[in-house]
């Protein structure tokens, strides 16, 4: 609206300026015309007065001559007439009629045919001639058709001669015809752009020359004083005074065209600027919506924000999002539309409530535009409400999920015709982006649901496994415990039998009994180790700061017999770490490692076992290194499993549970154990414990 108003105002200003200019010019032109007409009149009057005066004088001159010489000869007449006729434009001739018959005429050659004419035979001159003879006063007769052709006036001067008794007798009449066609410039005189019309009349109204009706149309008029008469000459521009000169008419037309041009160009420029502004705003909407889309996980929040951006950034009057539900488009988000949407009904189908942009967009899966709410018949169901809310145009943008229309984003603009092809392209893009976001939110929700169910199942399985593990450990514990009693009985009775009945048995019997006792002892050892392994996972891990140096003093005392019998040495680093650990577990772990180190030494090589520690990032590493027989790399994993031994009972007695206890204990404290070894090169076992130990439930 604004560009149109500005353009019209500008055009009107140009028209007004042009009008003012034209009026001023017209005023000047009018004045100049009056002067021109007046000038023309003055010229004509001067010429009339001068010529008629000259004609009169010529007439009077001849008359005077005839008065003193009544028998004037033709030659004398010609001589005088010639001198009187010199350079008298318009005077046709000078004729002398003795009585009423034309006797002499000058110049004779061109006027010979009037000689001998009797005025009394000329009906149009008879009255004038008679009157002049009767009154004795000279007069101008005419206008009349001249005998020689053309129209003119005739100056008539009578000549009277004295008679006896003092009376005067009419003797002759001098006639001087003046050709008005020659004297006057014509009934129309061109002056610049104007054609000036001229007319002459007598005081009694008789028209002497030109069109008499001219005097009824307020011409400029001048009186012409003539002998015995006063004439009036009038003149005015053809077409009247009001008529505009051509140049001004052209200027007026040009002004109108200019104003039209100014109006149209201004409108085009302002409209273009407005469109650029509108497009810029839409670009900002697009970019803000895209920013909003990134990382948005909530569909309702997305709709709310998209509406807010359209109104706040895009300058739309109102924005809402409706989702398709049971054949209707039901509002789920809006900005500025609460009042309007309160009891609005939009259906999807061929019904009046389904023909608006929203319903059509949902039905056709395509943008739908109404650029003139006030006049499009299909808007009837909502028109009055929309117009009173200031909506003049609206667009429905379909929203899709998985390629299927699920809702509509509807926008309202405050001016009709707002949605042009460029805007529609951008809005289509906005619709596609929102649809893309809907897909992405749906996928995220699916992934979240899957992850949740997976985590739930893992937690359930872990719980089941823990339970099963606990059950197994408890089973193992009770079985081991229950086996101890009959085993004690077996080895006890074997001992008694050996002691009391040794002599009653032969060597073979004694040997068998020894085997029974040894096997029972070995089984008791196995059960003891199994019990330790089972017990290790039962109690809760209690972590405190454990000085490893003090632990090793105790271990060295416990294993004193093994160390001394091996002939080796235990070297303990002076500055051993103080990790936060379960002291009972750590003591058992280190005992098992040191015990093995003194057990698996190379024959003839006294064992040297070194215990040291160091910090490595967030871990504390405790190493037990020996110079023993070493372990082939293929067994580095296997040795940590229960009952896995690389030696026969004869080579080195053991149960194969020691390292299994080591690994389980270290893992319970959140750490791990590694071995670095190769045959004949000794072995280094490393316990890696976190500085801040992980509790059994996995928290730190
Ligand atoms: P056990 O010592 O009772 O046999 P372990 O679980 O303590 O059971 O050890 C498993 C096996 O690992 C041993 O049988 C032995 O073959 C090997 N082993 C353990 N420690 C060492 C070591 N320091 N040097 C060489 N071999 C070792």
């Amino acid at each position: 609206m604004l560009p149109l108003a500005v353009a019209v105002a500008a055009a009107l200003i140009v028209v007004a300026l042009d009008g003012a200019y034209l009026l001023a010019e017209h005023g000047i032109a009018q004045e100049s015309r009056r002067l021109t007409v007046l000038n023309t009149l003055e010229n004509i009057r001067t010429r009339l007065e001068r010529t008629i005066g000259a004609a009169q004088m010529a007439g009077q001159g001849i008359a005077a001559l005839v008065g003193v010489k009544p028998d004037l000869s033709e030659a004398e007449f010609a001589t005088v007439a010639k001198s009187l006729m010199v350079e008298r434009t318009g005077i046709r001739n000078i004729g002398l009629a003795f009585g009423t018959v034309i006797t002499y005429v000058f110049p004779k050659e061109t006027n010979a045919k009037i000689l001998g004419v009797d005025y009394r035979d000329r009906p149009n001159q008879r009255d004038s001639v008679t009157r002049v003879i009767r009154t004795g006063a000279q007069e101008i007769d005419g206008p009349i058709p001249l005998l020689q052709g053309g129209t003119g006036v005739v100056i008539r001067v009578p000549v009277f001669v004295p008679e006896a008794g003092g009376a005067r007798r009419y003797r002759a009449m001098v006639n001087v015809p003046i050709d008005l066609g020659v004297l006057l410039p014509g009934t129309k005189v061109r002056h610049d752009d104007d054609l000036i019309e001229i007319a002459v009349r007598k005081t009694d109204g008789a028209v002497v020359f030109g069109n008499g009706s001219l005097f009824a149309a307020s011409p400029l008029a001048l009186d012409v004083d003539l002998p015995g008469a006063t004439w009036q000459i009038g003149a005015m521009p053809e077409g009247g005074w009001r008529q505009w000169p051509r140049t001004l008419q052209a200027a007026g037309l040009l002004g109108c065209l200019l104003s039209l041009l100014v109006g149209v160009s201004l409108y085009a420029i302002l409209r273009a600027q407005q469109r650029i502004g509108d497009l810029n705003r839409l670009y900002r909407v697009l970019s803000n919506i895209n920013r909003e889309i990134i990382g948005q996980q909530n569909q309702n929040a997305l709709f709310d924000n998209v509406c807010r951006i359209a109104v706040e950034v895009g300058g739309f009057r109102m924005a809402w999002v409706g989702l398709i539900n049971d054949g209707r488009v039901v509002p789920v988000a809006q900005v500025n539309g609460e009042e309007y949407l309160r009891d609005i009904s939009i259906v999807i189908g061929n019904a009046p409530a389904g023909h608006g942009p929203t319903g059509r967009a949902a039905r056709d899966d395509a943008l739908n535009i109404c650029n003139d709410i006030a006049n499009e018949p299909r808007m009837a169901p909502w028109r009055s409400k929309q117009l009173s809310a200031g909506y003049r145009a609206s667009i429905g943008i379909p929203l899709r999920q998985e390629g299927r229309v699920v809702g509509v984003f509807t926008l309202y603009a405050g001016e009709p015709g707002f949605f042009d092809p460029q805007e529609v392209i951008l809005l289509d893009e906005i619709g596609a982006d929102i649809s893309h976001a809907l897909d992405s939110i749906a996928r995220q929700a699916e992934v979240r649901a899957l992850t949740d169910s997976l985590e739930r199942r893992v937690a359930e399985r872990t719980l089941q496994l823990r339970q099963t593990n606990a059950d197994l450990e408890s089973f193992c514990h009770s079985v081991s415990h229950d086996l101890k009693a009959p085993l004690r009985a077996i080895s006890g009775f074997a001992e008694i039998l050996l002691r009391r009945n040794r002599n009653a048995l032969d060597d073979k019997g004694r040997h068998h009994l020894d085997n029974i006792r040894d096997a029972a002892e070995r089984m008791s050892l196995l059960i003891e180790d199994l019990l330790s392994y089972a017990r290790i996972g039962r109690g809760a891990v209690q972590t405190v700061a454990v000085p490893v140096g003090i632990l090793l003093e105790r271990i060295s005392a416990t294993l004193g017999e093994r160390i001394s019998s091996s002939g080796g040495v235990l070297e303990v680093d002076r500055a051993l770490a103080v990790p936060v650990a379960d002291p009972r577990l750590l003591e058992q772990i280190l005992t098992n490692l040191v015990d093995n180190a003194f057990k698996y030494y190379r024959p003839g090589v006294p064992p040297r076992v070194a215990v040291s520690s160091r910090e490595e990032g967030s871990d504390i590493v405790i190493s037990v290194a020996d110079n023993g027989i070493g372990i082939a790399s293929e067994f580095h994993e296997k040795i940590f499993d229960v009952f896995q031994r690389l030696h026969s009972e004869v080579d080195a007695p053991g149960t194969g549970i020691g390292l299994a206890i080591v690994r389980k204990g270290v893992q319970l404290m959140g750490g791990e154990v590694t071995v670095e070894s190769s045959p004949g090169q000794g072995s280094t076992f490393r316990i890696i414990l976190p500085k801040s130990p992980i509790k059994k439930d996995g928290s730190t």
Side-chain angles (χ1 to χ4, degrees):
M1 280 322 258
L2 188 68
L4 190 65
V6 172
V8 168
L12 287 177
I13 288 171
V14 174
V15 169
L17 287 175
D18 185 48
Y21 164 76
L22 289 178
L23 280 177
E25 278 297 307
H26 186 235
I28 294 168
Q30 209 59 335
E31 197 47 44
S32 127
R33 267 169 157 188
R34 293 185 80 81
L35 289 174
T36 307
V37 172
L38 203 61
N39 194 35
T40 309
L41 281 178
E42 294 278 9
N43 283 341
I44 293 171
R45 179 167 70 173
T46 309
R47 204 184 306 170
L48 270 177
E49 283 180 348
R50 198 191 298 146
T51 307
I52 290 173
Q56 192 184 13
M57 276 173 62
Q60 284 170 351
I62 299 292
L65 194 62
V66 175
V68 293
K69 202 174 180 199
D71 50 353
L72 184 74
S73 72
E74 188 175 4
E76 287 167 333
F77 166 79
T79 311
V80 176
K82 188 181 180 186
S83 69
L84 290 170
M85 277 281 285
V86 174
E87 290 182 16
R88 291 296 174 227
T89 314
I91 295 179
R92 176 70 70 79
N93 59 48
I94 301 173
L96 178 61
F98 287 103
T100 53
V101 178
I102 300 171
T103 317
Y104 302 146
V105 67
F106 179 87
K108 192 177 176 182
E109 307 80 58
T110 48
N111 299 286
K113 65 176 179 185
I114 67 166
L115 286 174
V117 170
D118 188 338
Y119 284 119
R120 283 174 304 184
D121 298 337
R122 312 299 301 181
N124 55 351
Q125 298 195 41
R126 190 194 304 136
D127 290 350
S128 162
V129 169
T130 313
R131 193 165 47 248
V132 169
I133 295 171
R134 182 165 38 87
T135 60
Q138 62 183 19
E139 82 170 42
I140 298 176
D141 181 20
I144 48 166
L146 295 176
L147 285 168
Q148 305 87 339
T151 304
V153 289
V154 183
I155 309 279
R156 302 187 198 281
V157 184
V159 182
F160 288 83
V161 289
E163 276 198 330
R168 282 159 39 95
R169 182 177 56 86
Y170 169 75
R171 166 77 179 124
M173 186 178 297
V174 187
N175 296 286
V176 186
I178 299 165
D179 188 342
L180 288 176
V182 175
L183 182 64
L184 294 173
T187 54
K188 286 173 187 174
V189 180
R190 172 155 298 283
H191 196 280
D192 292 340
D193 275 347
D194 284 327
L195 217 54
I196 296 169
E197 225 180 322
I198 296 160
V200 182
R201 68 175 177 183
K202 294 181 183 173
T203 18
D204 61 5
V207 177
V208 177
F209 181 76
N211 186 353
S213 62
L214 177 96
F215 289 96
S218 61
L220 275 183
L222 287 180
D223 286 344
V224 187
D225 285 327
L226 297 172
T230 303
W231 284 4
Q232 199 177 38
I233 49 173
M236 67 184 294
E238 190 189 36
W241 292 107
R242 289 188 175 281
Q243 200 200 23
W244 288 63
R246 281 218 183 81
T247 47
L248 285 190
Q249 282 178 7
L253 197 69
L254 222 74
C256 287
L257 285 176
L258 187 71
S259 75
L260 200 70
L261 201 74
V262 166
V264 169
S265 337
L266 205 65
Y267 178 74
I269 291 169
L270 291 175
R271 189 85 186 113
Q273 271 180 346
Q274 202 179 42
R275 296 317 288 172
I276 289 170
D278 288 342
L279 281 178
N280 263 338
R281 275 211 311 281
L282 272 186
Y283 270 119
R284 283 210 302 281
V285 169
L286 182 66
S287 103
N288 282 24
I289 284 182
N290 281 341
R291 228 175 296 145
E292 159 64 25
I293 282 170
I294 298 168
Q296 180 57 266
Q297 297 186 1
N298 183 305
Q299 183 173 288
N300 290 339
L302 173 75
F303 291 155
D304 285 342
N305 288 337
V306 157
C307 292
R308 184 182 49 72
I309 291 167
V311 171
E312 286 178 9
V313 182
F316 287 99
R317 287 274 165 129
M318 198 268 264
W320 67 282
V321 172
L323 288 183
I324 296 174
N325 189 353
D326 200 17
R328 294 181 170 274
V329 183
V330 183
V332 293
Q334 56 78 28
V335 167
N336 282 356
E338 203 173 341
E339 166 73 24
Y340 172 74
L341 294 170
R342 192 162 294 145
D343 40 26
I344 219 77
S345 169
I346 292 166
V347 301
I348 304 168
N350 192 11
H355 289 310
T358 309
R360 290 288 301 276
R363 188 160 60 131
D364 303 344
D365 186 8
L367 284 182
N368 194 281
I369 300 163
C370 166
N371 254 332
D372 189 2
I373 286 174
N375 295 308
E376 276 194 36
R378 64 176 173 137
M379 300 307 280
W382 312 280
R383 181 175 295 121
S384 66
K385 241 183 146 182
Q386 292 186 334
L387 291 182
S388 64
Y391 311 154
R392 293 292 179 275
S394 87
I395 187 167
I397 307 164
L399 301 180
R400 304 176 190 92
Q401 208 173 315
E402 306 283 328
R404 209 167 40 82
V405 185
V406 292
V408 182
F409 180 31
T410 305
L411 297 168
Y412 297 85
E415 55 177 293
F418 180 86
F419 300 102
D420 73 4
Q422 281 151 313
E423 251 129 48
V424 169
I425 290 172
L426 282 180
L427 290 167
D428 202 17
E429 208 156 307
I430 287 173
D433 289 352
I434 299 173
S435 302
H436 184 72
L438 289 182
D439 281 343
S440 143
I441 288 172
R443 271 196 297 275
Q444 283 172 13
E446 269 172 32
V447 169
R448 256 201 320 280
L450 273 176
T451 315
D452 286 353
S453 102
L454 209 64
E455 277 175 3
R456 235 186 352 267
R457 282 169 59 192
V458 167
E460 280 167 12
R461 289 277 178 282
T462 311
L463 202 70
Q464 281 172 2
L465 278 172
R466 271 208 196 117
Q467 191 57 49
T468 313
N469 228 13
D471 289 350
L472 272 175
E473 280 176 359
S474 129
F475 170 77
C476 196
H477 186 263
S478 48
V479 167
S480 313
H481 203 264
D482 292 349
L483 282 176
K484 275 170 91 175
L487 198 61
R488 250 196 317 273
I490 292 169
S491 64
F493 282 117
E495 193 62 38
I496 291 169
L497 213 56
L498 270 176
R499 247 189 286 125
R500 288 194 191 159
N501 303 76
R502 175 171 278 273
N503 296 329
L505 294 170
D506 57 8
D507 286 347
K508 214 171 178 179
R510 278 196 295 276
H511 176 69
H512 289 319
L513 216 51
D514 280 342
N515 280 351
I516 289 173
R517 189 192 54 194
D518 290 351
E521 268 174 18
R522 195 173 133 59
M523 195 166 174
S524 156
L525 205 65
L526 241 169
I527 287 170
E528 213 41 65
D529 278 357
L530 259 178
L531 269 175
S532 315
Y533 181 76
R535 217 180 288 131
I536 208 167
R538 287 167 72 85
V541 174
Q542 306 280 351
T543 57
V544 290
V546 185
V548 179
I550 294 174
L551 270 190
L552 276 158
E553 279 175 21
R554 265 217 309 273
I555 292 168
S556 141
T558 312
L559 300 177
E561 171 61 26
R562 160 109 49 215
I563 295 168
S564 59
S565 67
S566 71
V569 285
L570 175 63
E571 293 168 353
V572 178
D573 202 336
R574 276 166 189 264
L576 277 174
V578 183
V580 177
D582 185 310
R584 211 172 35 80
L585 280 178
L586 193 55
E587 182 169 349
Q588 187 160 12
I589 289 163
L590 289 171
T591 304
N592 289 5
L593 291 177
V594 173
D595 186 40
N596 279 351
F598 280 102
K599 191 157 62 168
Y600 301 107
Y601 61 88
R602 276 180 285 166
V605 179
R608 295 181 70 86
V609 179
V611 181
S612 60
S613 72
R614 65 170 194 276
E615 285 192 15
E616 255 184 37
S618 57
D619 296 326
I620 288 178
V621 181
I622 303 169
S623 307
V624 178
D626 63 49
N627 58 343
I629 57 172
I631 307 161
S633 59
E634 65 262 35
F635 302 117
H636 285 186
E637 263 302 305
K638 216 172 163 191
I639 50 173
F640 291 101
D641 292 340
V642 181
F643 301 137
Q644 290 300 328
R645 308 200 66 227
L646 304 180
H647 293 85
S648 69
E649 184 61 26
V650 183
D651 292 341
T655 57
I657 289 174
L659 287 181
I661 289 175
V662 167
R663 184 165 68 179
K664 191 173 178 188
V666 172
Q667 282 175 347
L668 281 172
M669 290 188 289
E672 59 175 319
V673 59
T674 63
V675 62
E676 190 184 324
S677 178
S678 53
Q681 301 296 314
S683 311
T684 300
F685 287 85
R686 291 194 180 86
I687 299 161
I688 304 161
L689 292 174
K691 278 183 191 165
S692 353
I694 294 167
K695 289 179 194 144
K696 219 177 168 186
D697 62 2
S699 61
T700 55

